[in-house]
Amino acid sequence: MEKFSGKIWVLGDDIDTDIIIPTQYLALKTVEDMAPYAFSPLRPELASRIQKGDMIVAGKNFGCGSSREQAPEIIKALGIKCVIAKSFARIFFRNAINNGLLLIENDALQATVSEGDEITVTINEAIEHKGCTYPVTSLPENLVDIINAGGLVKAMRRLNGLD
């Protein structure tokens, strides 16, 4: 299984899609144009501080609110490798997988980490943080294949021999 490490950004419960990308920025032409405004109602500086390979650790109900597909696309465009949360809103979960963004459910990690800590993730196995190992809920192999391909469209193109 794939293994990676990175710095974490810690967020709370009920991070909705209006926090991930406020409505007024949805009119911008591209996801890359929208990305600098990610999380701006909560933490205006956050998008500019995130580095490629960083991860988000959050509480329960991450991605609640409207079903805008841009929310997971923007998180991915920021360079976030994965989001680890106690739980995810169902439509956000599916939109994230379809866009190739890894989501991991874990109900214990948020209470034990501090922003800036480094964690190591082994997909479908565990999260490691300061000598402790946290089990994760495994994703079905077909969803892992979609994430590894970079999203549903890319996975279907690969599956059908178009790429």
Side-chain angles (χ1 to χ4, degrees), residues 93-105:
F93 184 89
R94 194 62 218 190
N95 280 338
I97 299 298
N98 286 345
N99 283 287
L101 176 63
L102 176 62
L103 302 181
I104 298 173
E105 288 187 347

Side-chain angles (χ1 to χ4, degrees), residues 25-95:
Y25 302 112
L26 292 174
L28 297 173
K29 287 189 176 195
T30 68
V31 170
E32 289 74 22
D33 292 338
M34 295 176 210
Y37 304 101
F39 304 102
S40 58
L42 184 65
R43 294 178 57 185
E45 81 295 347
L46 184 58
S48 67
R49 296 180 65 201
I50 291 172
Q51 300 293 312
K52 184 177 169 102
D54 287 355
M55 294 175 257
I56 292 174
V57 175
K60 62 182 172 58
N61 205 25
F62 189 92
C64 58
S66 66
S67 63
R68 62 184 64 148
E69 193 168 339
Q70 295 93 335
E73 289 177 330
I74 286 165
I75 292 171
K76 191 174 172 187
L78 288 171
I80 292 292
K81 182 73 174 171
C82 76
V83 178
I84 302 163
K86 291 180 181 181
S87 64
F88 295 93
R90 297 314 309 160
I91 196 142
F92 177 85
F93 184 89
R94 194 62 218 190
N95 280 338

